[in-house]
Amino acid sequence: MQNLVVILGTGGTIAGIAPEGQSDLAYQAAQLPIDALVRAVPELADATLELEQVAQLDSKDMTHALWQTLAQRVHHHLVRAEVQGIVVTHGTDTMEETAYLLQRVLAPAKPVVLTGAMRPASSRHADGPANLADAVALAREPGAHGVLVAMAGSVHGAADVRKAHAHKLDAFGSGDVGPLARFEDDGALRRLRAWPAGDALGVAVLDATPESWPVVEIVTSHAGASGALIDALARGGAKGIVIAATGNGTVHRAIEQALEGAAWADLAVMRATRCCDGAVLDVEGAGAAWPSAGALTPAKARVELMLRLMARREGASAPARPL
Ligand code: ASP
């Protein structure tokens, strides 16, 4: 019977504790083990669950090494016939990047649901238990698949999700397209759009030691920009640069000139918008020499460019995905 949900703990605020007398904003993330988080959710008392502590960190400190381990553990459990879905508890700061990486590498045919919290577990009004209950319900949802984020009653797809607010409870959004589904007040799941789909690059794309993953950095285009960062990155051996571009993917002339001057470095360049919402639409001119990252945030475009470079290095061509 395929009814087992595996919950992988990685830390974050959902596992955080605030020392007595401190507010919900001042706390230590990544303190409680995954079994303590599950014990705090009455709805999960009789659920068929398997728990694994993969890491215990504040996700602002996420590393490529942990991404590699996490992708391997998720893949390990996905191929088990008895597993219906997987939940990953994760800090909210880099949740969108991890979700995107897992979707591109695994494109799972079962649901892989990331969840976290904006308030620590010790808060009198902790949001983690309800988010975890929703995430497990989503992991059990018949027909659901792909990497999803369940936060504050909304469900987001890996390609669209972004942390949109620094501290409010409902901190996540999906930009223009809106959430993929919502939990209604009676607990029913209302789906609004299709589950995430696409081709998987395959977990082997992450096989190289994390220290040898291609260096891909983000450079913001802004008033008064110079080409200094581009020059330094090219000389330092970077393989790719994501420009967090203005508006519809426009790039400051000084940065354009520096990129042209660094042609010898054979840098792969991608343009994402630094605007909160809206995709970069390809138009003539205005930096159009470099591919657009569509609606990906600069942080997720960095993941995309890095994976493309890794897939190319492997000799495999990265399956096309609509950007
Ligand atoms: N700094 C925390 C983390 O990302 C924030 C959170 O989880 O909300 O782990």
Side-chain angles (χ1 to χ4, degrees), residues 12-14 27 29 57-60 90-94 117-118 163:
T13 294
I14 190 169
Y27 58 88
L57 96 167
D58 185 322
S59 82
K60 74 179 176 59
H90 196 290
T92 61
D93 287 343
T94 56
M118 295 300 290
K163 188 172 181 181

Short mmCIF file of all heavy atoms in Angstrom, two decimals, residues 12-14 27 29 57-60 90-94 117-118 163, ligand 1:
data_model
loop_
_atom_site.label_atom_id
_atom_site.label_comp_id
_atom_site.label_asym_id
_atom_site.label_seq_id
_atom_site.Cartn_x
_atom_site.Cartn_y
_atom_site.Cartn_z
N GLY A 12 15.74 25.45 10.01
CA GLY A 12 14.91 26.63 9.74
C GLY A 12 14.18 27.12 10.97
O GLY A 12 14.29 26.57 12.08
N THR A 13 13.38 28.16 10.77
CA THR A 13 12.60 28.76 11.86
C THR A 13 11.56 27.80 12.39
O THR A 13 11.22 27.84 13.58
CB THR A 13 11.94 30.06 11.35
OG1 THR A 13 12.98 30.98 11.05
CG2 THR A 13 11.01 30.67 12.37
N ILE A 14 11.06 26.92 11.54
CA ILE A 14 10.05 25.95 12.00
C ILE A 14 10.62 25.11 13.15
O ILE A 14 9.89 24.64 14.00
CB ILE A 14 9.56 25.08 10.82
CG1 ILE A 14 8.34 24.24 11.23
CG2 ILE A 14 10.67 24.20 10.25
CD1 ILE A 14 7.64 23.55 10.06
N TYR A 27 15.37 34.88 17.60
CA TYR A 27 15.37 33.47 18.00
C TYR A 27 16.52 32.77 17.31
O TYR A 27 17.17 33.32 16.43
CB TYR A 27 14.04 32.81 17.60
CG TYR A 27 13.79 32.91 16.11
CD1 TYR A 27 14.27 31.95 15.23
CD2 TYR A 27 13.09 33.99 15.57
CE1 TYR A 27 14.09 32.06 13.86
CE2 TYR A 27 12.90 34.11 14.20
CZ TYR A 27 13.40 33.14 13.36
OH TYR A 27 13.23 33.27 12.01
N ALA A 29 17.30 29.77 14.90
CA ALA A 29 16.69 28.79 13.98
C ALA A 29 17.36 27.44 14.19
O ALA A 29 18.43 27.34 14.80
CB ALA A 29 16.87 29.27 12.54
N LEU A 57 20.09 23.38 9.97
CA LEU A 57 20.75 24.66 9.74
C LEU A 57 19.73 25.77 9.46
O LEU A 57 18.58 25.50 9.11
CB LEU A 57 21.79 24.57 8.62
CG LEU A 57 21.44 24.96 7.17
CD1 LEU A 57 22.68 25.10 6.34
CD2 LEU A 57 20.46 23.99 6.56
N ASP A 58 20.20 26.97 9.64
CA ASP A 58 19.47 28.17 9.23
C ASP A 58 19.65 28.26 7.71
O ASP A 58 20.79 28.28 7.23
CB ASP A 58 20.12 29.37 9.94
CG ASP A 58 19.39 30.67 9.69
OD1 ASP A 58 18.91 30.88 8.55
OD2 ASP A 58 19.33 31.50 10.62
N SER A 59 18.56 28.29 6.97
CA SER A 59 18.70 28.13 5.51
C SER A 59 19.37 29.31 4.83
O SER A 59 19.72 29.23 3.66
CB SER A 59 17.35 27.84 4.86
OG SER A 59 16.62 29.02 4.63
N LYS A 60 19.60 30.41 5.57
CA LYS A 60 20.41 31.48 4.97
C LYS A 60 21.82 30.96 4.69
O LYS A 60 22.54 31.51 3.86
CB LYS A 60 20.47 32.72 5.89
CG LYS A 60 21.37 32.54 7.10
CD LYS A 60 21.44 33.76 7.98
CE LYS A 60 22.26 33.52 9.25
NZ LYS A 60 23.65 33.12 9.03
N HIS A 90 12.10 23.19 6.08
CA HIS A 90 13.20 23.99 5.52
C HIS A 90 13.04 25.43 5.99
O HIS A 90 11.91 25.92 6.14
CB HIS A 90 13.06 23.94 3.99
CG HIS A 90 14.27 24.37 3.21
ND1 HIS A 90 14.70 25.68 3.16
CD2 HIS A 90 15.12 23.66 2.44
CE1 HIS A 90 15.78 25.75 2.38
NE2 HIS A 90 16.06 24.53 1.92
N GLY A 91 14.13 26.12 6.17
CA GLY A 91 14.05 27.56 6.45
C GLY A 91 13.44 28.29 5.27
O GLY A 91 13.54 27.84 4.12
N THR A 92 12.81 29.42 5.56
CA THR A 92 12.10 30.12 4.48
C THR A 92 13.04 30.96 3.61
O THR A 92 12.70 31.30 2.49
CB THR A 92 11.01 31.04 5.06
OG1 THR A 92 11.62 32.01 5.92
CG2 THR A 92 9.96 30.24 5.81
N ASP A 93 14.24 31.30 4.13
CA ASP A 93 15.09 32.25 3.42
C ASP A 93 15.51 31.77 2.04
O ASP A 93 15.58 32.57 1.09
CB ASP A 93 16.33 32.59 4.26
CG ASP A 93 16.00 33.49 5.44
OD1 ASP A 93 14.93 34.10 5.43
OD2 ASP A 93 16.82 33.57 6.37
N THR A 94 15.85 30.51 1.92
CA THR A 94 16.29 29.99 0.61
C THR A 94 15.37 28.86 0.12
O THR A 94 15.76 28.09 -0.75
CB THR A 94 17.75 29.48 0.68
OG1 THR A 94 17.84 28.50 1.73
CG2 THR A 94 18.72 30.61 0.96
N ALA A 117 8.26 27.85 8.51
CA ALA A 117 7.47 28.71 9.38
C ALA A 117 8.12 30.09 9.44
O ALA A 117 9.32 30.23 9.22
CB ALA A 117 7.38 28.12 10.78
N MET A 118 7.30 31.08 9.73
CA MET A 118 7.82 32.44 9.93
C MET A 118 8.03 32.73 11.40
O MET A 118 8.69 33.69 11.76
CB MET A 118 6.88 33.46 9.29
CG MET A 118 6.77 33.35 7.78
SD MET A 118 8.36 33.60 6.95
CE MET A 118 8.63 35.34 7.24
N LYS A 163 9.93 34.07 -1.79
CA LYS A 163 9.65 34.72 -0.51
C LYS A 163 9.46 36.19 -0.81
O LYS A 163 10.39 36.86 -1.28
CB LYS A 163 10.79 34.49 0.49
CG LYS A 163 10.46 34.98 1.89
CD LYS A 163 11.51 34.58 2.91
CE LYS A 163 11.12 35.06 4.30
NZ LYS A 163 12.11 34.71 5.32
N1 ASP B 1 16.61 32.27 8.72
C1 ASP B 1 15.55 31.28 8.74
C2 ASP B 1 15.91 30.18 7.76
O1 ASP B 1 15.79 30.41 6.58
C3 ASP B 1 14.27 31.93 8.39
C4 ASP B 1 13.08 31.02 8.34
O2 ASP B 1 13.15 29.83 8.38
O3 ASP B 1 11.97 31.59 8.27
O4 ASP B 1 16.29 29.11 8.16
#
